[in-house]
Each structure stands twice: as structure tokens, then as C-alpha cells.
Amino acid sequence: MGNSDDLKAQFLEGMSRAAASVSVVTTDGAAGRGGVTVSAMTSISADGETPTMLTCLNASSSALPLVLENGCFCINVLRIGQTDISDVFSSRRPAPGGDKFNAVTVEPLATGAPSLSEALVSFDCKLISAERHGTHHICIGAVEAVRVAPDGDPLLYGMRKYLRAEAH
């Protein structure tokens, strides 16, 4: 058991050094509206019938069953200056008036999942696959719409804190 605990601690320490953009994954539909902050998201491919992306959602997240039932999600990449939004959707900070969406302005794109109006970029996806792996679900989506802000820099997270990219 000691080796397993050591490996997990080493893994977590190592992953803390892999800086990632901070995103809020949102959904809306018959099951209701929800959202959660994630760092695990990436493109799969721009080729094929539509581009595809994936995100990983914790099985204990209140947003996961909503994504699964609604069949859609929007990956909203946050920009520098939006740590408050990240903290609300990660439940580090209380939701204003008890609703996380009071902290943002939203507009639906193609699927009806909320696109955060001030996000750096929003990828609106139709859920095409979800598979549980350990404590998380790997959710794969077909990109139906993309909204790109005219300017801004991505909010990053690494070394267990928010970071900003340094231009070179």
C-alpha cells in the first residue's frame, strides 16, 4: 500500500507542474442548468464531420448528470481576471444568491448550453460519448459552434495556484 500512496502523491505533485487553462463547463436542457470549473479539457481533432473535444468531469460533480441527460456541454475558457468565476463554479467561493450563474452573463449558442459571454473562447458541444474511468467521466463532444473573443489572455492554473502566461 505504501508504494501506491507514494505513487499517488508523486503523481499529484507532478501534475501540479503541468499548467493548464482554466475552463467552466456548462450545460442546460431538460435536466436543468449546471456548470463546473475544470482544467482537464483538450481538442481531439479538427478533422471529420465536426471538430471534437473532450473534458473530464468528476463523477461527484452536480453538473455531470445534467451533462449526461442534456446531451450537451459548452467549454468556456476563462481569461486573466476571471478567477472569481472559476472560484464560484469550483465551489471555492459561495454562489451569489445561491446560483452560480448569477456570477456570469450567458448566451446560448447552437446546443442551448450556456456560453459565458466574457469567456476567452466557448466551444459548444453535443455530447457523443461519456465513459467512466475511476472517479471521472471522460466526455467527448462534437463541436457545434465556437465563439472567440477578439482579445485576451487565458487564465492558467499550475503549482496549485492561478498563473498568467508570460509573453516572449
Side-chain angles (χ1 to χ4, degrees), residues 18-135:
S21 60
V22 179
S23 299
V24 171
V25 173
T26 58
T27 188
D28 200 358
R33 183 171 72 168
V36 64
T37 302
V38 303
S39 57
M41 77 86 184
T42 191
S43 66
I44 297 173
S45 176
D47 299 323
E49 196 173 309
T50 63
T52 50
M53 297 188 71
L54 74 76
T55 187
C56 298
L57 301 180
N58 194 303
S60 68
S61 166
S62 60
L64 175 66
L66 303 178
V67 167
L68 297 177
E69 191 172 330
N70 291 336
C72 64
F73 60 89
C74 188
I75 299 171
N76 299 278
V77 180
L78 299 183
R79 62 174 77 218
I80 290 172
Q82 293 184 317
T83 58
D84 54 334
I85 295 171
S86 172
D87 288 345
V88 165
F89 278 87
S90 67
S91 300
R92 285 185 183 177
R93 174 181 290 186
D99 183 348
K100 295 176 180 182
F101 287 91
N102 288 338
V104 294
T105 303
V106 299
E107 53 193 86
L109 296 177
T111 69
S115 163
L116 304 188
S117 303
E118 298 301 316
L120 187 59
V121 59
S122 297
F123 299 97
D124 189 27
C125 300
K126 181 176 77 176
L127 181 67
I128 55 176
S129 168
E131 179 181 330
R132 183 161 182 163
H133 189 79
T135 58

